[in-house]
Amino acid sequence: MTDNKTKTNYGALSILIIVFFFWGFMAAGNSIFIPFCKHYFNLDQFQSQLIDFAFYLAYYVGALILFAYSVVRRNDFIARFGYKKSIVFGLLFSAVGAAAMIVAVGANSFMGMLIGLFVVALGFSLQQTAGNPFAITLGPPATGASRINLCGGLNSFGTAIGPIIVALLLFGTTAAVSDEEIANLEISKAEILYAGVGVLFLIAAAIFFFSKKLPNDTSTEKTEKTSKALVALTIMTVLLVAMFIPVFMSYRESFADMENVEIFRVIFLMAALVIVFVTLLSVNGMANKKPEGWGAMKYPQLVFGMLAIFVYVGVEVSTVSNFGELLQKPDFGGFAANEVAPFISMYWGSLMIGRWTGAVAAFDFKSTTKKILTIVVPLVAFGVVLGVNAISQYSIVVLLPYIALIAIQIAAFFFTKNKPARTLFIFAVLAVCMMLIGICTEGMVSVYAIMAGGLFCSIMWSSIFNLALAGLGKYTTQGSAFLVMMILGGAVIPPIQGKLADYMQTLSSNEGFGIHYSYVIPVLCFAFLAFFAMYVKKILKKQGIDYDSEV
């Protein structure tokens, strides 16, 4: 199964991590942009989540377009142009989106900003579809997840500094800023942010284009007909649109009973979630009976991996996107909108801590050295996050007790022994426990527990990706496109939690009740990921693939 003689191309890998950094920086910056826009444009919690909706919906649309191209042309886009050129195209597209954001900010248009973010993320969709399998192919298959973790470590460094930089640019200070002051701030500072990001996109595209270290293998081999998969995904897309249109239309003034409107929105949002699950489970059943015409979807590990990525991205984004609102409630600190930046930074930094630790296995160190690094690396990463906050003049004292939860993660790494299925299962179970503690407590205990969701999300992407693509062979790039498509979860699940928070708040006069108990959504999501870890292991064993065996 594994070629131990294959050497990792560290030169190419070091260049690839550049784009991983951009994905993290932009995604985490949205976590600060959401509470800012909520007060600046006077939005409710659901409307503020439209930022995530636009951003992550683009991943789905972009990947669907790539797949439709492959069906019509009978040739995979990324296979035709190669990983290298595909990433360059994606970076240039994201640069166009950054320019659109500058125009929207100048026009003071929230809708225009959503469109700009959508275009930026369309470019990211192409970059991720090429980037993740590219990282796997740059070395031995058995350490593919570790290379994704290594790239993810830089991605998470971007997520750690993103909230701090965005907060300072938007608010201009680390001191508390009231909601009224936010509403009167000049949003033009965001133009500087996206101008800088756009320039960096262009620089990265130039580095990729002119680099000789990056291989650009291409193929003009015709792919088999996969029209059944395209039809299924098209039907799912139409049904999703049908669910979301009524949700947005429910903002009309003719709806006088707001409590009923909240119920109305929750029902349609939940229906969208059900549509995704029913469609993919139906696809799996039909593909098992007659695999012709389904392409990569004839592999059950991929179909269930799509559901896992959908849920994982949704819960990762939802946990932090609603976290800022929770922190502003009296029972959870009562922080001002700009004071939540250190906590958001630590959440995303937690992903960096886990991914840096998970990346240790990507290097050919001795067993003893790896054990030492498994303890040292997360502590160093924790220090980096604290350092970033300290340099930005935020108090880090409140973050210091968090080291106890990092110790739990370190112990988990030793127990899982870098085995993807076992790692995913243990981390999902720990995440469920953290969310339950967060729901059952208040104050800083609840804050730390929910923030720890980032620690246990950290290695999930790489583990799911590696398990879902195992054994796909020539369908690997197509399977990668399907998985990236399921980043759609970041568009569906956060609004569900946001709308559930709005609805539950109507049931209680206690401020913060709704947003606090809306974290039942992450509990359910992490529970599903624990199930996937167990189930996919059985699927792969039937195919003679055991990623949890000693290599």
Side-chain angles (χ1 to χ4, degrees):
M1 183 189 74
T2 302
D3 182 6
N4 289 321
K5 296 182 180 179
T6 303
K7 298 295 184 181
T8 299
N9 187 339
Y10 291 113
L13 195 59
S14 63
I15 298 172
L16 181 61
I17 61 178
I18 294 173
V19 294
F20 276 76
F21 173 86
F22 285 134
W23 304 338
F25 182 90
M26 292 295 293
N30 288 346
S31 301
I32 296 298
F33 210 49
I34 286 172
F36 173 83
C37 288
K38 179 177 180 179
H39 297 298
Y40 186 87
F41 292 103
N42 193 28
L43 309 173
D44 67 19
Q45 187 64 14
F46 170 75
Q47 290 171 310
S48 69
Q49 296 297 310
L50 293 179
I51 291 173
D52 275 338
F53 178 81
F55 191 79
Y56 292 100
L57 178 65
Y59 280 94
Y60 176 76
V61 173
L64 184 61
I65 291 173
L66 287 175
F67 176 58
Y69 172 93
S70 70
V71 173
V72 174
R73 296 293 299 268
R74 295 288 305 280
N75 179 246
D76 185 86
F77 180 91
I78 293 172
R80 180 182 180 186
F81 291 99
Y83 292 124
K84 177 179 174 179
K85 287 185 178 179
S86 296
I87 291 173
V88 171
F89 293 151
L91 286 165
L92 293 176
F93 211 88
S94 293
V96 173
M101 280 293 293
I102 295 172
V103 173
V105 170
N108 203 36
S109 169
F110 180 62
M111 182 58 68
M113 293 177 195
L114 295 180
I115 294 173
L117 284 171
F118 182 86
V119 177
V120 168
L122 273 179
F124 284 1
S125 176
L126 178 54
Q127 294 166 43
Q128 288 222 26
T129 302
N132 286 284
F134 195 17
I136 292 176
T137 61
L138 291 177
T143 55
S146 297
R147 283 189 296 281
I148 295 180
N149 276 330
L150 180 60
C151 292
L154 267 292
N155 169 279
S156 297
F157 179 66
T159 63
I161 68 173
I164 300 297
I165 293 176
V166 173
L168 289 174
L169 280 173
L170 293 178
F171 302 113
T173 178
T174 59
V177 178
S178 67
D179 295 348
E180 292 75 16
E181 290 174 310
I182 293 175
N184 294 318
L185 285 174
E186 289 291 333
I187 201 172
S188 58
K189 293 180 180 179
E191 291 178 304
I192 300 174
L193 169 65
Y194 287 100
V197 167
V199 171
L200 290 175
F201 285 146
L202 294 175
I203 292 174
I207 292 174
F208 264 76
F209 184 76
F210 292 108
S211 174
K212 295 181 180 180
K213 293 182 179 180
L214 288 172
N216 192 55
D217 298 332
T218 60
S219 172
T220 56
E221 180 184 357
K222 292 293 183 181
T223 58
E224 71 175 58
K225 292 182 179 181
T226 51
S227 54
K228 291 180 181 178
L230 180 60
V231 170
L233 291 171
T234 300
I235 292 173
M236 185 176 79
T237 302
V238 171
L239 291 175
L240 287 173
V241 171
M243 293 302 102
F244 276 108
I245 286 178
V247 173
F248 298 137
M249 289 179 64
S250 67
Y251 284 96
R252 294 179 300 178
E253 294 180 359
S254 58
F255 289 87
D257 188 343
M258 287 307 298
E259 183 174 336
N260 287 336
V261 171
E262 299 299 336
I263 296 175
F264 177 83
R265 294 171 184 165
V266 170
I267 290 173
F268 275 90
L269 285 167
M270 291 300 294
L273 182 66
V274 171
I275 285 170
V276 173
F277 270 78
V278 170
T279 300
L280 292 180
L281 291 176
S282 298
V283 164
N284 182 65
M286 290 184 285
N288 280 339
K289 294 179 180 178
K290 192 174 182 181
E292 292 79 11
W294 289 104
M297 279 189 172
K298 66 185 177 183
Y299 293 92
Q301 64 264 39
L302 176 69
V303 176
F304 281 92
M306 290 170 69
L307 286 173
I309 288 291
F310 177 88
V311 171
Y312 160 70
V313 176
V315 69
E316 176 195 275
V317 175
S318 188
T319 300
V320 69
S321 293
N322 291 282
F323 194 36
E325 180 69 13
L326 180 73
L327 289 165
Q328 296 177 59
K329 303 306 179 185
D331 291 338
F332 302 91
F335 299 98
N338 66 312
E339 290 181 312
V340 306
F343 298 96
I344 301 297
S345 173
M346 183 54 73
Y347 174 87
W348 290 113
S350 295
L351 274 80
M352 180 182 78
I353 292 168
R355 288 170 180 171
W356 281 18
T357 309
V360 169
F363 298 93
D364 298 325
F365 296 129
K366 294 181 179 179
S367 177
T368 302
T369 303
K370 286 184 178 181
K371 290 178 180 178
I372 294 173
L373 289 175
T374 300
I375 298 173
V376 173
V377 168
L379 298 179
V380 171
F382 181 52
V384 169
V385 180
L386 292 178
V388 169
N389 280 277
I391 291 172
S392 304
Q393 299 183 341
Y394 284 104
S395 174
I396 63 173
V397 175
V398 71
L399 298 175
L400 295 178
Y402 193 61
I403 195 170
L405 293 168
I406 295 174
I408 294 175
Q409 188 196 55
I410 292 173
F413 269 112
F414 278 108
F415 182 76
T416 58
K417 297 180 180 180
N418 196 42
K419 298 179 179 181
R422 181 193 288 187
T423 300
L424 180 60
F425 177 76
I426 296 300
F427 276 54
V429 170
L430 287 171
V432 169
C433 293
M434 291 297 114
M435 293 301 112
L436 289 174
I437 292 172
I439 291 175
C440 296
T441 60
E442 294 181 346
M444 295 310 298
V445 172
S446 178
V447 169
Y448 292 140
I450 292 174
M451 196 159 59
L455 286 173
F456 302 111
C457 274
S458 58
I459 51 73
M460 288 183 176
W461 172 274
S462 58
S463 296
I464 296 169
F465 224 90
N466 221 31
L467 292 166
L469 294 181
L472 264 62
K474 66 178 181 179
Y475 296 102
T476 298
T477 56
Q478 186 183 96
S480 175
F482 285 146
L483 292 175
V484 171
M485 194 180 296
M486 289 298 101
I487 292 178
L488 172 70
V492 176
I493 294 178
I496 288 177
Q497 185 176 349
K499 188 45 56 188
L500 183 62
D502 287 338
Y503 170 66
M504 293 181 72
Q505 191 57 52
T506 64
L507 305 178
S508 174
S509 59
N510 180 23
E511 185 179 359
F513 175 86
I515 193 68
H516 185 203
Y517 288 99
S518 71
Y519 274 87
V520 67
I521 297 295
V523 171
L524 297 174
C525 290
F526 285 124
F528 173 80
L529 293 173
F531 160 78
F532 168 77
M534 294 187 296
Y535 189 62
V536 74
K537 185 176 179 180
K538 293 180 180 179
I539 291 174
L540 293 176
K541 276 191 173 181
K542 288 181 180 179
Q543 299 173 18
I545 302 171
D546 187 359
Y547 267 72
D548 276 2
S549 65
E550 293 294 335
V551 178

